[in-house]
Amino acid sequence: MPDLPPRKIIHVDMDAFYASVEQRDDPALRGAPLAVAWGGRRSVVLTASYEARPFGVRSAMPLYRALERCPDLVVVPPRFEAYREVSRQIRAVFQTFTPLVEPLSLDEAYLDVTAPLRGGPSATRIAQAIRADIRAQTGLSATAGISVNKFLAKLASGMNKPDGLTVILPDQVRALLDALPVGDFHGVGPATAAKLAGMGIHTGADLRAAPEAALRDRFGVHGAHFSRIARGLDDRPVQPDRPHKSIGAEETYADDLRGVPAVLERLPILAAQVQRRLEHAGLTARTVVLKLKFSDRSVITRRVTLPHPVSAAPDLTRAAARLLTPELLLGRSVRLAGITAASLVPAGQQPTQPLLLGG
């Protein structure tokens, strides 16, 4: 087959989105270390402002730990309707440049501008125009990464935040990826990085040199994906919105979790991820599913149907916690935990405050 012309992919990521909206709307918050989170010890930080990050405060961190690191941290509850409205404004900007927009959350998306509606042939100039239009319409800053595929564009957007723009050209890919720690590859979490390290794979160069068959044996279909991204290859298309049947999040742990308390401690982090994805999709859930994979590789799921649809992380956490019992574990250690939201319905049908579940 003849070589196709290189694609032009932009990854746009808003800077500390929830916190930036709060600081925009309340001048008293500007310049302060800020976290957006529900209250309560089990809550997690949804977004931290850049003023909070030097203290080590990060998204998905338990709120109590964030307050330990930054006692002067200002905590405000999320206002998802405000975030959705700004997200709609941002999406409208994207659509003036290309119909090929794949949102990943309320605050980030891929755009394919290989054949743009306006802006000319330069992806760099289009990204500059998008960032300028977003700032003009919302007062917020966005960071953009540009390259020939989704993997490289997302990598580029993480290299110069906040309010930055980075281009990765084809002739830069090998040197850049070879020097990159495998834990910095998008899609390689701490547990996978630890497994790769156990195979003697620490950098992109190590990953590129590893036989694909060995990676497949260790990681299944993901092994083939790792082999490709180590070479900067990613042929996934930019896909506009598709309907969701369920929305979930799961994590494989480098060290197995032992006992109910250890698993309970991880549920709020998973719930926060599910909440963000539900809010992005404008959906709520009537059913919450808990998934556990044990060290013997056996998997179980349990589900509960709620009296009202929910999307807030505290509600998702409580529902999943109700399903987690010592009898469920039977003394087994947990390698993976996940929370899935199912029986999805449009947002607007849930209570304005978190639903308080017994148990």
Side-chain angles (χ1 to χ4, degrees):
M1 294 179 61
D3 289 339
L4 297 175
R7 293 184 296 160
K8 301 174 184 177
I9 308 299
I10 302 174
H11 178 256
V12 179
D13 191 7
M14 300 300 295
D15 298 320
F17 181 53
Y18 296 172
S20 295
V21 173
E22 298 299 336
Q23 290 177 321
R24 181 197 68 176
D25 293 349
D26 184 353
L29 299 176
R30 296 172 191 171
L34 175 69
V36 177
W38 293 111
R41 179 175 176 81
R42 285 191 176 180
S43 181
V44 298
V45 175
L46 300 177
T47 305
S49 71
Y50 282 97
E51 294 86 353
R53 298 187 186 190
F55 296 92
V57 179
R58 296 288 185 271
S59 297
M61 173 180 288
L63 180 58
Y64 75 87
R65 189 169 298 161
L67 289 167
E68 288 173 354
R69 295 188 177 187
C70 182
D72 294 328
L73 187 69
V74 179
V75 180
V76 299
R79 297 182 300 131
F80 284 108
E81 187 50 48
Y83 310 148
R84 282 195 292 267
E85 177 55 33
V86 177
S87 184
R88 285 190 285 267
Q89 292 178 276
I90 296 166
R91 185 86 59 88
V93 170
F94 296 157
Q95 295 288 346
T96 67
F97 290 90
T98 175
L100 297 178
V101 178
E102 180 181 338
L104 302 177
S105 62
L106 287 176
D107 59 343
E108 65 174 316
Y110 290 114
L111 293 78
D112 187 329
V113 296
T114 308
L117 300 176
R118 68 182 181 98
S122 169
T124 301
R125 291 183 179 178
I126 290 173
Q128 290 170 333
I130 288 171
R131 294 172 64 240
D133 286 357
I134 289 173
R135 187 182 292 276
Q137 295 193 31
T138 70
L140 303 174
S141 67
T143 296
I146 306 162
S147 196
V148 296
N149 60 46
K150 291 164 71 171
F151 168 70
L152 293 171
K154 186 169 179 67
L155 180 65
S157 71
M159 295 172 65
N160 191 22
K161 288 184 70 71
D163 199 19
L165 188 153
T166 302
V167 182
I168 298 178
L169 299 173
D171 61 2
Q172 299 172 326
V173 171
R174 179 162 177 170
L176 177 67
L177 296 182
D178 277 2
L180 199 67
V182 290
D184 289 347
F185 279 66
H186 177 60
V188 177
T192 300
K195 292 176 183 177
L196 288 168
M199 299 172 65
I201 299 172
H202 304 278
T203 66
D206 298 332
L207 188 58
R208 181 170 52 80
E212 182 177 329
L215 294 172
R216 280 182 175 274
D217 287 345
R218 187 70 178 87
F219 300 103
V221 294
H222 297 294
H225 175 66
F226 296 155
S227 183
R228 288 179 59 78
I229 62 174
R231 293 163 172 78
L233 303 176
D234 181 6
D235 57 5
R236 294 174 300 158
V238 172
Q239 296 180 309
D241 279 339
R242 294 177 296 176
H244 295 279
K245 293 184 179 180
S246 63
I247 292 175
E250 59 184 39
E251 184 175 356
T252 301
Y253 303 105
D255 298 314
D256 291 351
L257 308 179
R258 300 183 182 278
V260 169
V263 181
L264 282 174
E265 186 176 355
R266 303 303 180 100
L267 294 183
I269 296 173
L270 296 169
Q273 296 176 43
V274 176
Q275 173 184 285
R276 288 177 67 96
R277 294 166 188 172
L278 285 169
E279 292 292 344
H280 149 63
L283 296 170
T284 59
R286 290 295 303 268
T287 299
V288 176
V289 182
L290 174 68
K291 174 183 176 181
L292 299 175
K293 182 177 182 179
F294 299 104
S295 56
D296 62 4
R297 299 188 181 276
S298 61
V299 177
I300 62 170
T301 60
R302 295 291 185 270
R303 64 182 59 222
V304 60
T305 297
L306 305 174
H308 304 288
V310 300
S311 63
D315 298 338
L316 297 167
T317 300
R318 292 186 186 96
R322 289 173 60 187
L323 300 169
L324 182 64
T325 64
E327 293 76 19
L328 194 64
L329 299 187
L330 292 175
R332 295 172 292 183
S333 56
V334 174
R335 176 169 295 177
L336 174 150
I339 295 176
T340 297
S343 303
L344 303 178
V345 296
Q349 299 181 27
Q350 78 273 37
T352 56
Q353 295 295 324
L355 181 67
L356 298 178
L357 300 176

